[in-house]
Amino acid sequence: MKKTWRWFGKKDNITLPMLRQIGVEGIVTALHDIPNGEIWPYEDIVEMKEYIESFGLEWSVVESLPVSEEIKYAGAKRDELIEKYKVSLANLGRAGIHCICYNFMPVLDWARTDLNHPWDDGSTSLYFDRVKFVYFDRYILQREGCEKDYPQHELDAAAEMHRKAQAEGTLNELHAQLTDAIIVKTQGFVNGNIREDESAPVAHFRQLLSLYDGIGRDELRANMKYFLEAIMPVCDEWAMDMCVHPDDPPMPLLGLPRIVCCDADIEWFLNAVPNPHNGLTFCCGSLSAGSHNDVPALAKKYCHRTHFVHLRSTDVLPNGNFIEADHLHGRANLIDVVRIFEKERPDVPMRVDHGRTMLGDADKGYNAGYSFHGRMLGLAQMDGVIATVRNELGKE
Ligand code: DNO
């Protein structure tokens, strides 16, 4: 597997010379300053590519070329936006970049309730607490009819959380913390729907949710198929590998459908548009957060339609909460996943996804989940696994 790293561009405090020192071979990035839905100009792509190459690295993967909400819910401007997407794809292909990660999650990209969940060893990680999420939906978003989506014991626990915060006078703090984690800090830097400096993020978020009124699972699937069929001719012409990121976590949230959650979903979209350029980002972390997914079995089944791998693991707790595990443990079983990819797809780019916040990372203002030391530790662990597996296979 090729060792890549998600780098957020020239403003990232983690610089390309730092990455060279830790064995990174390729860069995963995007033109983060271009607003969602706008064309990526050829010149800007080449400028970024040459900048990366000037440090002896290559631009291996685009993450992400975002799919506008209007394409996902089939709004009036859908075809116009798809045309723009095709131009960006062709510009990337002409510049020599052929691997594109994107997702088809409505409104909310990845979701976490805690960005600094403490570990016993003094480091912290991301965390998803079901009751806090129910609380956000019921008491902050106040989504109509949301009660029907949750079991009674979770609604009761959220009500208790509300009562307690009220009694202790910490309601504002709790609301600010959950809003920040769920719809601001985790979202702004990946899709731009909600920006960090917004004054009324919850109101804006409600408005975004309402765009999906009447869009269920079948409609979203049809819209994904429409999008993929429309872009495949450009993918054929420029050899563009599209790889959809699984839904994180792999389950419907806030009444929104999510359609890349499990084996049957993956099978559906790969068969719906059976072109090898229509592929998958095999995100072990996202898939492992659903107890219905057996990650190594999925890797075995889908490695041939995978163009990019995220190496990350989680543990799902008995109450359904999940925590980021370290890269050698947890239910993703990354050791077996590496065995599968090293054997079947040895050249596929992988990046270590997320990392704990440790050893001074907390003061550096990194994007949530994207620490330096934590990810470097994960990369070193995965590097060791890759070298061992290659040795087992008689490659090194
Ligand atoms: C979070 C990421 C996602 C991912 C996008 C891809 O850490 O895994 O935000 O980059 O969903 O489109």
Side-chain angles (χ1 to χ4, degrees), residues 366-379:
Y366 298 139
N367 289 326
Y370 289 89
S371 64
F372 181 60
H373 292 118
R375 275 192 292 165
M376 178 169 78
L377 176 62
L379 177 62

Side-chain angles (χ1 to χ4, degrees), residues 130-202:
R130 289 192 55 90
V131 172
K132 286 188 182 173
F133 198 78
V134 175
Y135 184 97
F136 172 78
D137 199 358
R138 170 85 183 73
Y139 295 94
I140 300 177
L141 204 54
Q142 297 172 13
R143 186 169 59 91
E144 215 185 302
C146 70
E147 294 81 0
K148 70 175 179 349
D149 291 349
Y150 305 110
Q152 192 56 44
H153 70 274
E154 289 181 355
L155 291 166
D156 291 346
E160 175 56 19
M161 191 180 276
H162 187 250
R163 196 201 54 74
K164 202 164 159 245
Q166 225 164 10
E168 289 170 357
T170 53
L171 214 52
N172 289 347
E173 213 176 303
L174 177 64
H175 287 210
Q177 185 262 318
L178 288 179
T179 303
D180 203 43
I182 299 172
I183 62 171
V184 181
K185 287 264 163 50
T186 41
Q187 305 303 302
F189 75 95
V190 291
N191 72 7
N193 267 348
I194 301 280
R195 292 185 324 272
E196 291 244 354
D197 56 359
E198 282 192 35
S199 53
V202 175

